[in-house]
Amino acid sequence: MKYQSVFDIIGPVMVGPSSSHTAGAARIGRAARLIFGKEPTWAAVHLYGSFAKTYRGHGTDLAIVGGLLGYDTDDDRIRFALETAKKKNMKIEFIEDTAATEHPNTARVKLGTDDSSMELVGVSIGGGKVEITELNGFELRMSGNKPAILIMHNDRFGAIASVTQILAMHEINIAHMEVSRKDVGKDALMVIETDQNVEDNVMKDLEQASHINRVSRLMS
């Protein structure tokens, strides 16, 4: 693993005790909340490897729920996240999963409301950094540390071009982009990390583009 600065090793400003088990976990939970687009009423969190073994002592449960509530890594309210979720009637379940994973600090977050749901897999890779590796069955590689947009679309010619043209029109620079699909002509997913936040007016234009079903974003 390559670190770009000493702060990648020290970790972020955060509620402790662990950058990987607490700050990283909070970022996974918050990424799930932001991509889902609203506060969930329930969540089932599968924890693997080191996460599963130490999540209570390291506050991983508090951190993930804090993220689902929209808290950032340095928000003191993380300490009371489980109590807050209970007051909001948010049903939370943690499952210590024994399945093998590529990385020991892996969480599969299933969340939803009465009328919609989503499933996300996140990995805490150290120093508070995370990777999102799966979304609703689509494999991807998203850092979770940069601004990003996630676009569900129909697998049709012109869909990608319509999105990149809108970003160019608004002078949004693409740092990284991935496209995946479940089958020819079926559902597809674009993941685009950008050098700056994508503002509301750009999101509105993207939502109206050809063959686009849903657009969500992560802000830095």
Side-chain angles (χ1 to χ4, degrees), residues 81-109:
L82 292 176
E83 297 172 28
T84 302
K86 187 175 181 179
K87 290 177 182 177
K88 289 174 171 278
N89 294 318
M90 185 186 295
K91 297 179 180 178
I92 307 291
E93 180 184 10
F94 285 93
I95 299 99
E96 299 174 25
D97 205 310
T98 57
T101 56
E102 290 185 13
H103 195 284
N105 298 332
T106 298
R108 180 179 295 273
V109 183

Side-chain angles (χ1 to χ4, degrees), residues 3-74:
Y3 295 98
Q4 296 181 351
S5 77
V6 67
F7 296 106
D8 290 344
I9 301 172
I10 296 172
V13 177
M14 64 177 191
V15 175
S18 167
S19 61
S20 59
H21 286 70
T22 313
R27 283 181 169 161
I28 292 170
R30 192 163 186 264
R33 160 70 181 266
L34 291 173
I35 295 170
F36 188 55
K38 55 188 173 182
E39 187 170 279
T41 57
W42 61 268
V45 183
H46 291 250
L47 300 174
Y48 303 87
S50 179
F51 265 2
K53 294 175 183 177
T54 64
Y55 74 95
R56 289 190 181 91
H58 283 172
T60 304
D61 50 353
L62 294 170
I64 289 179
V65 175
L68 293 175
L69 291 168
Y71 303 161
D72 211 340
T73 57
D74 60 348

Side-chain angles (χ1 to χ4, degrees), residues 5-219:
S5 77
V6 67
F7 296 106
D8 290 344
I9 301 172
I10 296 172
V13 177
M14 64 177 191
V15 175
S18 167
S19 61
S20 59
H21 286 70
T22 313
R27 283 181 169 161
I28 292 170
R30 192 163 186 264
R33 160 70 181 266
L34 291 173
I35 295 170
F36 188 55
K38 55 188 173 182
E39 187 170 279
T41 57
W42 61 268
V45 183
H46 291 250
L47 300 174
Y48 303 87
S50 179
F51 265 2
K53 294 175 183 177
T54 64
Y55 74 95
R56 289 190 181 91
H58 283 172
T60 304
D61 50 353
L62 294 170
I64 289 179
V65 175
L68 293 175
L69 291 168
Y71 303 161
D72 211 340
T73 57
D74 60 348
D75 196 319
D76 283 336
R77 292 177 295 174
I78 285 177
R79 303 180 193 278
F80 311 103
L82 292 176
E83 297 172 28
T84 302
K86 187 175 181 179
K87 290 177 182 177
K88 289 174 171 278
N89 294 318
M90 185 186 295
K91 297 179 180 178
I92 307 291
E93 180 184 10
F94 285 93
I95 299 99
E96 299 174 25
D97 205 310
T98 57
T101 56
E102 290 185 13
H103 195 284
N105 298 332
T106 298
R108 180 179 295 273
V109 183
K110 303 175 183 179
L111 71 162
T113 60
D114 289 339
D115 57 4
S116 60
S117 62
M118 189 187 83
E119 184 172 334
L120 172 149
V121 176
V123 178
S124 179
I125 60 176
K129 290 182 174 293
V130 302
E131 284 185 355
I132 308 303
T133 61
E134 186 181 316
L135 178 65
N136 289 340
F138 289 98
E139 293 185 2
L140 61 135
R141 289 288 175 185
M142 186 174 70
S143 72
N145 304 306
K146 294 178 66 69
I149 50 176
L150 297 94
I151 302 172
M152 294 295 302
H153 62 99
N154 298 322
D155 180 35
R156 299 287 190 276
F157 65 86
I160 296 172
S162 67
V163 168
T164 56
Q165 287 169 5
I166 289 169
L167 295 179
M169 180 178 67
H170 288 281
E171 299 183 348
I172 303 292
N173 195 48
I174 295 174
H176 176 77
M177 180 174 181
E178 291 186 8
V179 181
S180 59
R181 64 185 184 184
K182 292 187 176 178
D183 202 353
V184 177
K186 303 297 184 180
D187 291 338
L189 174 67
M190 267 183 266
V191 179
I192 303 174
E193 293 186 329
T194 60
D195 289 335
Q196 62 263 64
N197 285 326
V198 176
E199 303 298 338
D200 290 344
N201 60 323
V202 185
M203 293 290 288
K204 187 174 294 186
D205 287 346
L206 290 170
E207 289 166 356
Q208 296 172 353
S210 299
H211 308 302
I212 303 306
N213 298 325
R214 182 183 174 189
V215 183
S216 55
R217 64 182 167 182
L218 292 178
M219 305 279 277

